[in-house]
Amino acid sequence: MQTNAQSELTPQIKHNTHHRNLIRASLVVPVVVLVVALFVGGWTLWNQFGPRPAPQFGVPVNASKAITDFRLDSTLDHPVALSDFADRYLVVYFGYTTCPDVCPTTLADLGKAEKLLGREAQRIQMLFITVDPERDTIERMRDYLAFFGPNFIGLRGSLEETEAIASQFGVVYQKQFHSASATDYLMDHSAAIIVLDPQRRPLVLFPYGVSAEQLASDLKRVVR
């Protein structure tokens, strides 16, 4: 009787075991999918909102207040606003085309840093704002910036606009006359590079003298 009972139960036991295995398998797949989704979602949130790696060569700013948007004439032949680049980090430099040393050195380093960034440079826009709008025409800036790379956009405002915009960035500048002629002058100006995040908040400040390799290294750390 026991043998017969076992023989009758064996198919049922196998069926129940197979059924339980199917249930377990059907539960495992959604759990794995959920775990992967949570991991990917968590990584995305951390990447976007988690603490940023500190720059090694620049000075972290991490300002909570955004730069007030503005629109200026540009080397693109139409006015350009900061908000036009809401999907990019802005690398902003104030200078002028007749600068004898600091400006060309800095712009050359920025151009080289852009090449070192490779595909990541697509997240960045270089902006050159002249502090000498009396002499720097759009055409003159376009020719000048072409020496340093194709991703530079020159911006030019009135004297009043330039002063108001520079003050937002903490940039100061002043004419220094070198002869009796009103046109023979240089511009003393702040030489720092300012990086804004896509919300136009100052993120990092690079003092003059930071190399192209150092710029590229820090930009890779802070750009997301």
Side-chain angles (χ1 to χ4, degrees):
M1 291 292 295
Q2 185 176 0
T3 302
N4 291 337
Q6 287 178 341
S7 62
E8 292 175 0
L9 289 173
T10 297
Q12 185 176 352
I13 292 171
K14 290 182 178 179
H15 173 75
N16 289 341
T17 302
H18 178 68
H19 183 64
R20 284 197 299 270
N21 289 336
L22 288 175
I23 293 175
R24 287 171 183 164
S26 64
L27 291 174
V28 167
V29 173
V31 169
V32 171
V33 172
L34 178 61
V35 169
V36 171
L38 289 172
F39 175 80
V40 173
W43 181 87
T44 301
L45 289 172
W46 176 264
N47 189 51
Q48 289 183 345
F49 303 109
R52 296 177 183 272
Q56 293 180 304
F57 308 101
V59 179
V61 180
N62 295 322
S64 58
K65 183 179 179 181
I67 295 293
T68 301
D69 197 18
F70 56 83
R71 186 177 295 276
L72 297 175
D73 291 337
S74 79
T75 52
L76 298 179
D77 288 329
H78 60 77
V80 164
L82 294 185
S83 55
D84 294 340
F85 308 102
D87 60 336
R88 278 176 264 182
Y89 290 77
L90 300 177
V91 178
V92 183
Y93 182 71
F94 288 79
Y96 66 113
T97 62
T98 51
C99 179
D101 42 29
V102 174
C103 293
T105 299
T106 302
L107 293 172
D109 284 334
L110 283 173
K112 183 178 179 181
E114 181 183 17
K115 292 180 180 178
L116 292 172
L117 286 170
R119 293 185 62 184
E120 292 177 85
Q122 296 174 5
R123 299 291 318 282
I124 293 171
Q125 178 60 58
M126 309 281 190
L127 297 179
F128 174 86
I129 302 176
T130 180
V131 295
D132 188 16
E134 293 178 284
R135 292 187 299 191
D136 284 345
T137 63
I138 292 298
E139 292 75 16
R140 186 169 185 168
M141 284 196 296
R142 184 185 296 113
D143 293 340
Y144 179 72
L145 294 174
F147 287 106
F148 305 106
N151 193 32
F152 286 91
I153 296 176
L155 301 179
R156 178 183 181 273
S158 66
L159 292 173
E160 294 76 15
E161 287 173 325
T162 304
E163 183 177 355
I165 291 166
S167 66
Q168 279 203 82
F169 287 85
V171 169
V172 295
Y173 57 94
Q174 183 179 4
K175 280 184 181 180
Q176 292 290 343
F177 290 95
H178 290 267
S179 74
S181 171
T183 60
D184 187 10
Y185 62 87
L186 298 175
M187 299 292 294
D188 285 346
H189 62 92
S190 303
I193 300 165
I194 304 105
V195 180
L196 307 182
D197 69 13
Q199 287 74 47
R200 304 195 307 275
R201 297 173 300 197
L203 184 62
V204 181
L205 184 149
F206 291 104
Y208 174 68
V210 175
S211 70
E213 291 78 12
Q214 292 169 336
L215 285 167
S217 175
D218 269 6
L219 287 172
K220 285 182 180 180
R221 293 172 68 88
V222 302
V223 169
R224 295 184 171 184

